[in-house]
Amino acid sequence: MKKSLGARTLLYPTPVMLVGTYNHDRKPNLMTAAWGGICCSQPPCVAVSLRKATYSYACIVERKAFTVGIPSEDQIKTADYMGICSGRDVNKLVEAGLSVVGSDLVDAPYAAEIPLVLECRLLHTLEIGLHTQFVGEIMDVKADPAVLSQDGLPDILKLRPMLFDFGHSGYNGVGPYLGKAFSIGKK
Amino acid sequence: MKKSLGARTLLYPTPVMLVGTYNHDRKPNLMTAAWGGICCSQPPCVAVSLRKATYSYACIVERKAFTVGIPSEDQIKTADYMGICSGRDVNKLVEAGLSVVGSDLVDAPYAAEIPLVLECRLLHTLEIGLHTQFVGEIMDVKADPAVLSQDGLPDILKLRPMLFDFGHSGYNGVGPYLGKAFSIGKK
């Protein structure tokens, strides 16, 4: 018999995403977000939800672009820091010692040190409630060669992305390979 | 120097979700989906994206409700099976030997054996491209007591949700706890 936990945002896993934006003065910023995911295959799109109160919200509205960086687990302190401070108060990239790279495809920056980055142009804005969802078309994915496997695609065990556990406000790593999709379930 | 991988849906991690629906005859169905995530805190909402061609698409449009079940890694074969076959051709719950439970809150079913379930009523429908995004308000979360920690919230290492790796069409498990969010990044 299942137990009722109430109306809560308990989904597993949720990603740890660093949303990169420029403000009106082209000051770069990164903000940690866990509310989002892929939302369309063609065009390839990723959704991220932000509160209107965030510094990054107005940046996306103004620039109609953002990046989504996936930090590695050895960057846990940097990733967590980007969710604690606001770009209103500090230049978080400078404080964290990260190198800013301007996307050549969209009007948004990313950090050179973050191993995987999705460059997105704003396609849809959906007001839901406390959060506004921004749907970005993925114009390109850029990755450090060190996290790629021989076929040129990311190796999840080299990338080592983090999982955000909302219920207990924690981060977990990626575990072992379990099986092949569209295959292991065949009878 | 980063390498360009092209415009692809490469985000890490993405979840393995079992979307539960009724059709017009109240036939229950589960479909595996990885495109989605939490999209709002208040009201608590989860987004799942489905292609119009899927059997589940029309079910959600008609019933204005769905459930999102999170299978454990020991249910990998069941989870993968739900992404291989269509509810048009078979009763997947019967084939997989799962017990149907009708939600008492929304017009959708779930499987008793799946340890965590979000019961959702349809709030928004966003046409993006190949995929349509359904935003569901989470009316309740129900969980098996065996996956809960002492505080009554899910323990991710007891739940053991899976990660879908789109690039290599594989599943991974959850790795070890890495640190406390909104804490480990403080200077």
Side-chain angles (χ1 to χ4, degrees), chain B residues 134-147:
Chain B
F134 296 110
V135 172
E137 180 180 352
I138 302 165
M139 307 307 289
D140 194 16
V141 177
K142 291 194 169 71
D144 290 345
V147 302

Side-chain angles (χ1 to χ4, degrees), chain A residues 5 36 38 53 59-60 62 75 84 88 100 110 132 136 140 169 181:
Chain A
L5 308 186
I38 296 295
C59 298
I60 295 178
E62 176 157 344
Q75 297 170 319
I84 292 173
R88 267 190 208 96
V100 180
Y110 58 89
T132 300
D140 194 15
S169 280

Side-chain angles (χ1 to χ4, degrees), chain A residues 6-172:
Chain A
R8 294 165 181 252
T9 52
L10 295 168
L11 185 80
Y12 300 86
T14 59
V16 176
M17 304 180 287
L18 297 181
V19 179
T21 53
Y22 285 128
N23 79 349
H24 53 91
D25 287 331
R26 211 176 155 87
K27 179 182 142 187
N29 190 53
L30 291 184
M31 174 195 167
T32 316
W35 290 172
I38 296 295
C39 59
C40 189
S41 292
Q42 292 171 25
C45 290
V46 62
V48 294
S49 288
L50 303 183
R51 288 175 297 111
K52 267 191 183 155
T54 61
Y55 176 77
S56 302
Y57 176 93
C59 298
I60 295 178
V61 169
E62 176 157 344
R63 298 282 181 164
K64 301 195 184 340
F66 59 91
T67 63
V68 175
I70 302 298
S72 237
E73 64 173 52
D74 58 4
Q75 297 170 319
I76 183 170
K77 288 184 183 175
T78 299
D80 193 52
Y81 168 72
M82 300 296 170
I84 292 173
C85 297
S86 170
R88 267 190 208 96
D89 309 316
V90 286
N91 186 322
K92 290 194 260 186
L93 282 120
V94 170
E95 291 293 317
L98 297 178
S99 315
V100 180
V101 180
S103 165
D104 52 357
L105 294 171
V106 302
D107 194 12
Y110 58 89
E113 293 81 359
I114 302 300
L116 188 84
V117 179
L118 285 61
E119 298 163 280
C120 308
R121 73 179 183 95
L122 184 62
L123 207 59
H124 295 285
T125 301
L126 183 65
E127 302 289 348
I128 304 176
L130 182 63
H131 285 78
T132 300
Q133 184 191 53
F134 295 111
V135 172
E137 180 180 351
I138 302 166
M139 307 306 288
D140 194 15
V141 178
K142 290 192 170 71
D144 290 345
V147 303
L148 300 179
S149 52
Q150 290 208 334
D151 64 5
L153 290 170
D155 179 331
I156 195 170
L157 294 176
K158 291 181 180 172
L159 179 62
R160 304 209 74 79
M162 287 180 281
L163 289 55
F164 176 62
D165 174 354
F166 169 74
H168 290 116
S169 280
Y171 301 109
N172 280 74

Side-chain angles (χ1 to χ4, degrees), chain B residues 37-114:
Chain B
I38 296 295
C39 58
C40 189
S41 292
Q42 292 172 24
C45 291
V46 62
V48 294
S49 287
L50 304 184
R51 288 175 295 114
K52 267 191 182 155
T54 61
Y55 177 77
S56 301
Y57 176 94
C59 298
I60 295 178
V61 169
E62 177 157 343
R63 297 282 180 166
K64 300 196 186 335
F66 58 92
T67 64
V68 174
I70 302 297
S72 238
E73 64 173 52
D74 59 3
Q75 297 170 319
I76 184 171
K77 288 184 183 177
T78 298
D80 193 54
Y81 168 71
M82 300 296 170
I84 292 174
C85 297
S86 169
R88 268 191 207 97
D89 308 316
V90 287
N91 185 321
K92 290 193 260 186
L93 284 121
V94 169
E95 291 293 317
L98 298 177
S99 315
V100 180
V101 180
S103 165
D104 51 358
L105 294 171
V106 302
D107 194 11
Y110 57 89
E113 292 81 358
I114 301 300

